[in-house]
Amino acid sequence: MRKTVIAGNWKMNMTPAKTAEFIKALAPMVAGKDKCDVVLCVPAIDIPAAVEAAKGTNIKIGAENVHFKASGAFTGEISAEMLTEAGVEYVVIGHSERRQYFAETDQTVNLRTLAALNAGLKAIVCVGETLEQRELGYTETLLKFQTKMALTNVSAEQLKNVIVAYEPVWAIGTGVTATADQADEGNGFVRAAIAEVYGADVAETVTVQYGGSMNDKNAAELLAKENVDGGLIGGASLVAEKFKAIVDAAQ
Ligand code: 13P
């Protein structure tokens, strides 16, 4: 039985004050929804406000990135220990926006994943193809490669703290959602890659999310698919009622 995880990725939105307000409003809406884990991944500056506001609720807090070194001369970066001490439980790694705008590579995604897992964080590792790669017929090859690269040197034990999010780049923030079948297929490629390394039994236990224009309208159809074990939600996670509706769909 795989755990369903509904996670918001706020990206560069919300101030600390708005964070506290949002979580106070959301908490009663998702209280007692125990069929899925409810996570909000927030900008680093919002973490203290988020952790404080989420105390005593079933909302868990995540970060949007983590550095792979424990400490040192890395101006502007945040370590895994800093996150855990602040009360963070999850961290998004390798989002396509980090890959596209901040020179993230499959190798640094792997290093960040290892750093997060070694610190006891749960890693939400993002993979996904561009439209060009899809049209060239490379979706399966690419998803399997990205998944295996990200998980290099991750033990089967550590894999219990890994969630993989399949996020087709062409579906992110575009309003173009993958069809439920495309999402199921992409998530299936991710699971097949995990099976090739860790075995089919292990792969069956790993939560694989879909992300890319998931919203209150399409969540139920996407989440009904065999391989879709939750969502990583951008835009719709910034509106409490929409995010609540996605959590409801996961029930
Ligand atoms: P949207 O839901 O805004 O398309 O963003 C998806 C995403 O990138 C989540 O990480």
Side-chain angles (χ1 to χ4, degrees), residues 7-249:
N9 172 14
W10 279 0
K11 311 190 179 185
M12 197 173 73
N13 293 291
M14 300 270 195
T15 63
K18 283 184 184 152
T19 297
E21 210 176 290
F22 183 96
I23 293 177
K24 292 223 163 76
L26 179 69
M29 298 185 197
V30 297
K33 306 281 167 71
D34 55 3
K35 297 276 194 308
C36 66
D37 282 358
V38 181
V39 183
L40 288 176
C41 299
V42 306
I45 193 82
D46 296 337
I47 286 170
V51 168
E52 183 59 31
K55 267 189 193 141
T57 76
N58 59 332
I59 300 169
K60 298 180 165 93
I61 302 304
E64 298 180 10
N65 191 22
V66 62
H67 198 262
F68 40 86
K69 294 282 190 184
S71 63
F74 301 102
T75 302
E77 291 297 313
I78 293 175
S79 75
E81 186 189 8
M82 293 170 193
L83 294 178
T84 54
E85 195 175 307
V88 164
E89 290 179 59
Y90 290 78
V91 60
V92 176
I93 295 173
H95 191 279
S96 65
E97 288 149 17
R98 303 269 347 150
R99 294 176 191 257
Q100 189 179 348
Y101 305 129
F102 302 99
E104 193 79 66
T105 66
D106 289 312
Q107 192 178 14
T108 56
V109 169
N110 173 236
L111 293 174
R112 288 180 210 276
T113 302
L114 290 169
L117 294 172
N118 288 334
L121 290 163
K122 292 187 171 73
I124 302 178
V125 178
C126 303
V127 298
E129 82 288 0
T130 63
L131 188 58
E132 190 184 18
Q133 289 161 338
R134 172 168 283 267
E135 285 172 349
L136 287 168
Y138 290 135
T139 301
E140 178 175 2
T141 307
L142 190 96
L143 291 180
K144 286 186 166 178
F145 179 79
Q146 285 187 344
T147 302
K148 288 180 185 177
M149 277 291 287
L151 299 179
T152 302
N153 294 326
V154 171
S155 69
E157 188 57 30
Q158 287 178 313
L159 194 66
K160 290 176 183 161
N161 283 325
V162 172
I163 294 168
V164 183
Y166 167 50
E167 297 207 312
V169 178
W170 47 271
I172 294 175
T174 56
V176 181
T177 318
T179 65
D181 285 338
Q182 284 172 327
D184 193 46
E185 182 185 51
N187 283 28
F189 292 149
V190 169
R191 199 178 308 287
I194 296 171
E196 285 167 20
V197 180
Y198 298 90
D201 289 353
V202 172
E204 280 304 311
T205 67
V206 178
T207 297
V208 184
Q209 297 174 318
Y210 167 78
S213 300
M214 187 186 271
N215 59 38
D216 48 322
K217 306 277 187 302
N218 59 30
E221 191 188 352
L222 290 161
L223 292 168
K225 287 292 175 182
E226 166 69 24
N227 277 309
V228 180
D229 311 317
L232 186 58
I233 299 117
S237 74
L238 297 167
V239 182
E241 290 74 15
K242 290 187 182 177
F243 192 65
K244 172 214 180 274
I246 298 170
V247 170
D248 283 343

